[in-house]
Amino acid sequence: MNTIAALEQAEKLLTPWTKEAVRPESNRLDVTIAGLDLYACAAALKQEPWGYLSAFTGLDLGLEVGELEPLYPFCEGAAITTLRVRLPRQGGSVPTLYPLFPVASFFERELSEMFGIEVTGTPDPSRLFIPDDWPVNVYPLLKDFDPKVVQPRQADSPRSFQPQDGQTFYVPIGPQHPALKEPGHFEFTVDGEVIVGARMRLGYVHRGIEKATESQNWVQNLYLLERVCGICSHTHATAYVLGVERLAGVETPPRAQAIRELIAGLERIHSHLLWLGVSAHEAGFDTLFMYSWRDRETVMDILENLSGNRVNYSANIIGGVKFDIYPEHAKTIRQGLDFLEERIRHYLDIVTTDILFLQRTRGIGRISREEAAHLGLLGPTARASGVVRDVRIEAPYGPYSHYPVSIVTSEAGDLEARFVVRLKELFVTINTIRVIMDNLPESDLSVRVPRRIPAGETISRVEAPRGEVFYFIKSDGTDRPERIKVRTPSLCNWTAVLSKAVGSQLADAPLLIAGMDPCFSCNDRMITVKRLDGK
Amino acid sequence: MKFGTMLSDIFTSLFQAPVTQKYPFERQPTPQRLRGKLTWDPDRCSACSLCAKECPANALQVITVDRNNRRYVMRYQMDRCTYCAQCALNCRFKCIQLGSEDWELAALDKKAFTVYYGRETDVNTYLEETGDPNAEKPGPD
Amino acid sequence: MFSALKPILQILIFPAGLFLVASGIVVEWIDRKLVARLQNRVGPRWFQILADIVKLLAKEEILPSAANPWLFIGLPMIALAGCMTAALYVPLMGLSPAYSFSGDLIVTLYLLSLLTLSKGLAGWNTSSRFSLVGATRGLTQLFAYEAPFLLALLGPAIVAGSWQIDVIMQRNSSSWIILTQPIGFLVALIGLMGKLELPPFDAPEAETEIVAGAMTDYSGRGLAIFNIAKSVEFVIGLTLVAAFYLGGLNNPLEYLLKTFFILVVLIGLQTLLTRLRIDQTVGLWWRYGAILVLIQWMILIIWKESILL
């Protein structure tokens, strides 16, 4: 169904509760509803089914208006319906959406700790990103937040140590652990080797980026947001500049768009090869780790040649790209891609036929398609379970309408499928890069964009190697943004780990965690999810 | 189902040299576009400070020593710089370059990270006025 | 006077003691270097293992408060002592064993398993989560591979008609048992990998799951001694398998060549294979390992009976 029809359908579904319905952009519908009707509206959308819950955002409308506004965007293809609720600055509350969308518990915790909005009925009201010794009743994302107020206090730990009763005890993995390349904390309650409960806490690398964006101008924010993550840095930068360009009403020249997609493709190759090595290491297959990282150097050299840096390429500027691709670069890229294609074919063969490796991956952590859709999974983790969810195909942005990619899915839903999907995606990516290089349009590299971006709100969704990156950008007409909200795919994918960990063996836990390709620094937030069965 | 699928790889590795680059004894040639240490040409500068205003890390400062004679000094803090090249992009007269040769920037002392660019006389004038003990020798333009 | 001094020299210098530690260091270095080269990396320089030991000996040893201090300090020493004692009965360097008596094969094998038992006990003793899981896995694995490994080494013993290592070696030095008992050789080799916790059987020490298994809380001297004990066991294991299956070790040159050959095979397998989960390891052993070795024994017994008739 096309975007306009989808939006009309959503508008019709929500009529009983609509206070006000606006179409701020051609693919967006904003519906203001009362807080109490939130659950009913979400249930109506899920019933249809219309889209999936993509993120939550909170807005502080300022001290004069005296209201907070949580936003709930649902995405169906390219159409986005946002439910907006107006709440007073103090004491506002909304009902939980957890029974409908398990992923909502993460978002709700963030909402309540950042804005002070109470979410009634949420399964876990403890903090997500903010550390335990942060003072109570101090909410960082409010406009009148004063950093001087923050004095560490005696933390009462929300996770008190549970006494061991005979057979079961819990094994902590992280925040310092050889398995994790970045800090996060997992508590697995085990009985022998079988996991019976799983909890996690993130936020160890929370850097307060969203708040920081409000005090820097649009150009500086580009570099700040690029550094949310090292492996998906170009995706974050792309999402940001697409949103800002849309607000500014400029059209990026075609050559710049093509170069953006090319670099995104190279980044995807880099990311998936990195992930292949890391997962192999988690499984104990160090040889595959060493070889795949050796081959990753090829793509890093290509990117360094092209952009000047191995990660954080800083290719984008608002209005275009910084550098051009000349024939000598194109030649290096092609040679590198030929080499990589052959090596990736070899790795695909290893991953699907090595008898011992299959023992570690086939049939383990199987998530069915319905479960994946219900849990709100994104990216290759969802595609490995057969869910057709890829922003580049459902909602093509920028150059993807000219150089489309094809989707790679698998029905198996187990760890092996995740390997296969990611490696096959790389073949598609390599071909797309070749097509782009053969058909690079001639044009300028950038257009001028004013320093003050016109007021407005926009939503920008981009497909990172890990899934959908969701950006909500609000400008108030000055040279600084009013609010930027970043929702990264790893946040949604944690539900996969936790739901599958219970019942599996402890030895599978690192592979389950690695299988969804977590990016802790991308998370930019903390999540604690308690999933204790019967404890 | 195969056993030992990586046999071809490990066998060929016996006859190949390791891929490890024995840095610092061997150095790979740097790509031309590498964003290394910043350099500044004072002759063309008009002190518009667009570079400093848009630096995400506030690593640059353009200091006016003598406005009438267009004498400027730039203070560059290497440790704050993120090597993004936004300054180079912004400069209308192409005063700023991010060189590709100078990228081994580690130092044992923080003093080495604050660099003053400009004509030697200007820098010395500025440093005497402010008595900044953290100064490095003026960098070449 | 020399005869009184001889046992002391044998324990301290050769064949046990310093010589054994030195050969353990050499074997471990070859292992790490070759694995690295197979993975297209450089690998450690020749003095790396020695440097590791010296560094560990210089580090502070932290005693966990929940651990029994006697056990904590004593267990590494017991492990090393067991391996060193076992060295007295095997033909190290191709020379005849220092001491030899009837039945010393069994004694040697039990002494060798002291290492795993000590590690298991050490893991239980420190009672941190990772050590407990590691210790449990180590002992589970012991139950899995020990029986087939023992039986595989007893194959040549049956043919030689003796339980004494020296005698077995002498009687089998004319023919290479590997040709007549290939299954036994395979089981012995894989059993050695299990005993030494080499990949794919390194679940007890799985770095990505349980930090360092039973060794997690050890640092400094205790860890150094455990590491030395492991490399010493490597040497003894190689010697045993080479002595039994590759036609005896009659002089140092043969010793070096044959043990090096087995070492290379083990390193190749180690690099090629991924780590198995503990339940898969046990399953593998009790399904395939035990059956294979029992088949080998059947063949042997039938053959021996038919010869005697």
Side-chain angles (χ1 to χ4, degrees):
Chain A
M1 138 180 36
N2 72 19
T3 314
I4 309 287
L7 289 176
E8 281 171 10
Q9 187 193 32
E11 200 169 349
K12 212 161 54 159
L13 275 173
L14 295 170
T15 335
W17 306 280
T18 307
K19 282 195 198 166
E20 189 193 345
V22 185
R23 301 271 182 103
E25 288 174 305
S26 61
N27 66 332
R28 281 179 53 207
L29 167 70
D30 280 355
V31 175
T32 312
I33 57 174
L36 294 168
D37 295 331
L38 181 62
Y39 191 90
C41 292
L45 285 173
K46 183 170 165 122
Q47 184 79 1
E48 184 59 19
W50 201 97
Y52 59 93
L53 178 63
S54 183
F56 279 16
T57 309
L59 276 184
D60 183 350
L61 297 174
L63 288 157
E64 308 86 47
V65 180
E67 286 186 321
L68 300 176
E69 191 176 14
L71 298 150
Y72 299 82
F74 289 78
C75 302
E76 165 81 27
I80 307 176
T81 301
T82 312
L83 301 174
R84 306 177 79 117
V85 178
R86 293 285 190 115
L87 293 174
R89 276 185 81 93
Q90 243 113 20
S93 78
V94 284
T96 181
L97 294 182
Y98 178 73
L100 297 170
F101 303 101
V103 76
S105 93
F106 293 109
F107 301 144
E108 282 162 1
R109 289 158 76 164
E110 191 198 343
L111 197 65
S112 53
E113 77 183 352
M114 293 288 182
F115 285 97
I117 297 175
E118 190 199 331
V119 185
T120 48
T122 191
D124 188 350
S126 62
R127 284 176 168 165
L128 197 52
F129 294 121
I130 300 209
D132 291 330
D133 56 355
W134 185 272
V136 285
N137 294 331
V138 175
Y139 304 110
L141 278 178
L142 292 179
K143 291 291 176 189
D144 58 348
F145 167 69
D146 181 8
K148 296 194 210 32
V149 168
V150 181
Q151 300 289 336
R153 62 184 182 96
Q154 187 65 27
D156 34 73
S157 170
R159 311 165 289 116
S160 49
F161 175 60
Q162 275 156 349
Q164 298 169 205
D165 52 341
Q167 301 292 72
T168 65
F169 63 81
Y170 80 95
V171 178
I173 294 194
Q176 287 98 16
H177 193 278
L180 302 175
K181 305 308 166 208
E182 292 155 316
H185 182 65
F186 299 89
E187 282 168 25
F188 293 116
T189 313
V190 295
D191 178 6
E193 282 275 331
V194 179
I195 299 176
V196 294
R199 286 163 82 160
M200 60 187 286
R201 177 145 212 198
L202 302 173
Y204 292 92
V205 274
H206 183 51
R207 293 151 284 168
I209 289 185
E210 284 184 13
K211 187 74 183 171
T213 54
E214 293 172 16
S215 54
Q216 298 205 297
N217 69 35
W218 294 98
V219 175
Q220 291 172 322
N221 276 331
L222 170 61
Y223 296 102
L224 179 61
L225 288 169
E226 194 181 45
R227 283 154 176 79
V228 166
C229 176
I231 336 175
C232 359
S233 72
H234 180 80
T235 337
H236 281 276
T238 309
Y240 175 73
V241 297
L242 282 179
V244 175
E245 283 161 9
R246 204 176 305 148
L247 281 177
V250 297
E251 176 81 27
T252 337
R255 194 177 178 91
Q257 293 194 22
I259 293 180
R260 277 181 188 168
E261 183 173 343
L262 194 144
I263 297 190
L266 288 171
E267 185 179 65
R268 185 171 290 262
I269 298 177
H270 168 215
S271 172
H272 285 330
L273 279 177
L274 186 147
W275 172 83
L276 178 65
V278 169
S279 296
H281 178 64
E282 306 282 354
F285 200 0
D286 277 339
T287 310
L288 182 57
F289 169 43
M290 297 294 172
Y291 280 95
S292 56
W293 276 44
R294 179 195 72 174
D295 297 330
R296 186 181 75 114
E297 290 295 313
T298 313
V299 75
M300 299 200 89
D301 285 342
I302 292 177
L303 281 164
E304 195 185 20
N305 218 6
L306 202 53
S307 70
N309 206 356
R310 281 155 59 100
V311 288
N312 293 335
Y313 325 118
S314 297
N316 286 338
I317 53 173
I318 307 181
V321 293
K322 258 200 200 118
F323 48 77
D324 202 353
I325 298 186
Y326 297 130
E328 59 262 20
H329 298 120
K331 190 164 124 218
T332 338
I333 297 178
R334 272 182 229 273
Q335 280 169 341
L337 288 181
D338 289 336
F339 170 71
L340 282 173
E341 194 173 28
E342 197 193 306
R343 292 299 300 174
I344 295 172
R345 211 166 300 248
H346 180 55
Y347 294 135
L348 188 60
D349 181 52
I350 293 175
V351 157
T352 46
T353 58
D354 188 289
I355 194 169
L356 284 181
F357 196 67
L358 284 176
Q359 288 228 313
R360 295 300 300 270
T361 56
R362 191 169 272 181
I364 296 180
R366 180 168 275 144
I367 302 182
S368 68
R369 187 191 301 198
E370 297 74 34
E371 232 180 317
H374 176 67
L375 289 172
L377 298 184
L378 301 169
T381 320
R383 296 200 277 277
S385 295
V387 177
V388 176
R389 199 169 271 177
D390 187 334
V391 182
R392 296 172 296 171
I393 294 170
E394 297 181 307
Y397 48 90
Y400 285 94
S401 14
H402 299 288
Y403 309 100
V405 292
S406 51
I407 196 162
V408 178
T409 57
S410 162
E411 294 301 319
D414 57 2
L415 278 176
E416 186 198 352
R418 289 174 213 161
F419 277 87
V420 166
V421 162
R422 286 191 174 99
L423 288 176
K424 282 192 176 160
E425 263 184 18
L426 287 186
F427 292 130
V428 172
T429 312
I430 291 177
N431 282 330
T432 317
I433 297 178
R434 289 192 181 124
V435 165
I436 295 178
M437 281 201 298
D438 290 336
N439 302 312
L440 262 181
E442 294 295 327
S443 79
D444 289 335
L445 285 181
S446 64
V447 294
R448 266 200 73 86
V449 175
R451 294 202 73 206
R452 291 173 208 275
I453 306 290
E457 293 174 354
T458 184
I459 290 180
S460 178
R461 293 159 64 209
V462 161
E463 181 80 9
R466 282 158 190 76
E468 172 193 325
V469 168
F470 180 97
Y471 265 64
F472 171 84
I473 301 175
K474 179 167 180 187
S475 165
D476 52 3
T478 61
D479 66 343
R480 293 179 177 188
E482 186 175 331
R483 170 99 172 94
I484 296 186
K485 155 84 183 184
V486 180
R487 196 277 293 136
T488 50
S490 302
L491 193 63
C492 299
N493 285 338
W494 287 120
T495 47
V497 169
L498 294 170
S499 71
K500 280 300 121 186
V502 176
S504 313
Q505 303 248 349
L506 182 61
D508 290 329
L511 261 187
L512 282 176
I513 298 173
M516 52 149 279
D517 202 358
C519 184
F520 290 86
S521 54
C522 248
N523 267 306
D524 199 28
R525 311 151 180 285
M526 293 211 312
I527 307 181
T528 313
V529 171
K530 275 193 265 206
R531 278 289 297 267
L532 292 178
D533 283 350
K535 296 276 174 221
Chain B
M1 290 287 200
K2 293 184 217 164
F3 180 82
T5 43
M6 297 211 74
L7 188 59
S8 55
D9 292 307
I10 65 177
F11 193 66
T12 44
S13 285
L14 278 178
F15 307 109
Q16 283 172 349
V19 292
T20 316
Q21 190 185 74
K22 294 187 175 67
Y23 182 85
F25 307 110
E26 298 172 3
R27 275 190 176 81
Q28 222 178 358
T30 50
Q32 191 220 2
R33 285 182 178 173
L34 184 75
R35 302 197 291 265
K37 183 171 161 191
L38 184 144
T39 52
W40 177 68
D41 180 0
D43 293 329
R44 303 215 280 254
C45 180
S46 67
C48 68
S49 291
L50 264 180
C51 51
K53 269 191 222 150
E54 301 224 313
C55 175
N58 296 324
L60 287 178
Q61 193 186 3
V62 180
I63 305 160
T64 311
V65 174
D66 184 350
R67 167 158 297 170
N68 297 326
N69 296 327
R70 293 188 43 176
R71 295 271 192 241
Y72 307 111
V73 161
M74 172 178 279
R75 186 173 73 192
Y76 168 57
Q77 286 172 298
M78 255 190 322
D79 51 344
R80 303 192 78 174
C81 177
T82 59
Y83 303 93
C84 65
Q86 180 69 34
C87 50
L89 195 70
N90 275 356
C91 181
R92 287 172 290 174
F93 308 108
K94 302 287 163 241
C95 309
I96 296 185
Q97 307 286 335
L98 257 68
S100 66
E101 290 304 315
D102 216 348
W103 49 275
E104 287 157 311
L105 301 173
L108 288 170
D109 193 335
K110 275 236 161 187
K111 279 209 281 269
F113 293 138
T114 309
V115 182
Y116 288 91
Y117 286 118
R119 292 196 194 85
E120 198 155 342
T121 48
D122 299 335
V123 180
N124 288 333
T125 320
Y126 172 70
L127 289 176
E128 275 158 22
E129 281 173 30
T130 55
D132 191 332
N134 280 346
E136 248 254 325
K137 283 227 132 344
D141 43 30
Chain C
M1 223 247 323
F2 182 65
S3 58
L5 219 46
K6 191 162 169 230
I8 300 182
L9 285 177
Q10 278 173 332
I11 291 175
L12 288 180
I13 315 261
F14 182 90
L18 284 181
F19 170 75
L20 198 57
V21 175
S23 51
I25 291 178
V26 167
V27 164
E28 190 175 334
W29 176 76
I30 296 178
D31 178 52
R32 281 171 63 172
K33 186 79 176 175
L34 211 50
V35 168
R37 282 295 158 110
L38 289 177
Q39 290 175 348
N40 217 191
R41 302 182 280 128
V42 178
R45 284 197 283 177
W46 62 270
F47 52 79
Q48 180 73 43
I49 316 292
L50 188 60
D52 284 342
I53 293 178
V54 170
K55 177 205 80 169
L56 278 177
L57 289 174
K59 278 196 173 219
E60 175 193 1
E61 181 142 28
I62 300 176
L63 203 59
S65 53
N68 180 330
W70 294 105
L71 278 181
F72 190 80
I73 297 183
L75 280 170
M77 298 190 200
I78 293 177
L80 186 58
C83 295
M84 286 214 184
T85 318
L88 295 173
Y89 307 114
V90 292
L92 277 180
M93 219 47 198
L95 309 169
S96 57
Y99 293 93
S100 195
F101 57 90
S102 180
D104 63 6
L105 176 60
I106 307 293
V107 173
T108 309
L109 287 173
Y110 277 128
L111 282 173
L112 282 180
S113 38
L114 258 185
L115 173 64
T116 322
L117 290 172
S118 316
K119 270 198 189 170
L121 198 57
W124 170 85
N125 184 31
T126 52
S127 63
S128 88
R129 304 184 190 297
F130 303 122
S131 329
L132 279 170
V133 177
T136 318
R137 286 186 186 182
L139 293 173
T140 313
Q141 201 163 287
L142 181 75
F143 292 139
Y145 67 72
E146 189 73 1
F149 182 60
L150 225 74
L151 293 177
L153 282 182
L154 289 180
I158 292 183
V159 173
S162 162
W163 295 96
Q164 198 169 339
I165 295 182
D166 203 8
V167 172
I168 299 171
M169 201 180 68
Q170 306 285 10
R171 291 198 189 149
N172 289 334
S173 58
S174 48
S175 64
W176 283 39
I177 303 277
I178 181 178
L179 301 168
T180 52
Q181 296 181 32
I183 305 173
F185 179 66
L186 190 68
V187 177
L189 212 60
I190 312 286
L192 193 56
M193 289 176 81
K195 200 171 191 60
L196 299 166
E197 285 167 14
L198 296 176
F201 306 118
D202 62 342
E205 213 183 274
E207 176 201 61
T208 54
E209 297 152 28
I210 44 176
V211 188
M215 301 289 99
T216 311
D217 283 291
Y218 274 89
S219 61
R221 193 182 50 215
L223 187 59
I225 295 181
F226 263 126
N227 285 345
I228 296 175
K230 182 171 173 183
S231 34
V232 163
E233 187 171 331
F234 207 154
V235 174
I236 299 178
L238 286 174
T239 317
L240 267 180
V241 178
F244 283 17
Y245 280 93
L246 293 183
L249 304 168
N250 303 314
N251 54 59
L253 184 62
E254 257 186 54
Y255 172 82
L256 289 173
L257 286 176
K258 290 177 183 173
T259 47
F260 185 70
F261 166 69
I262 299 185
L263 182 60
V264 166
V265 172
L266 285 181
I267 289 174
L269 285 174
Q270 193 182 357
T271 326
L272 264 184
L273 305 173
T274 175
R275 180 189 309 140
L276 286 175
R277 270 200 332 240
I278 189 72
D279 62 320
Q280 291 165 341
T281 312
V282 172
L284 186 82
W285 275 104
W286 279 116
R287 273 184 237 140
Y288 302 109
I291 292 181
L292 280 177
V293 86
L294 284 175
I295 293 176
Q296 181 70 75
W297 268 56
M298 289 278 101
I299 299 176
L300 270 181
I301 290 174
I302 295 174
W303 168 84
K304 191 136 197 203
E305 290 302 300
S306 60
I307 287 213
L308 286 178
L309 280 176

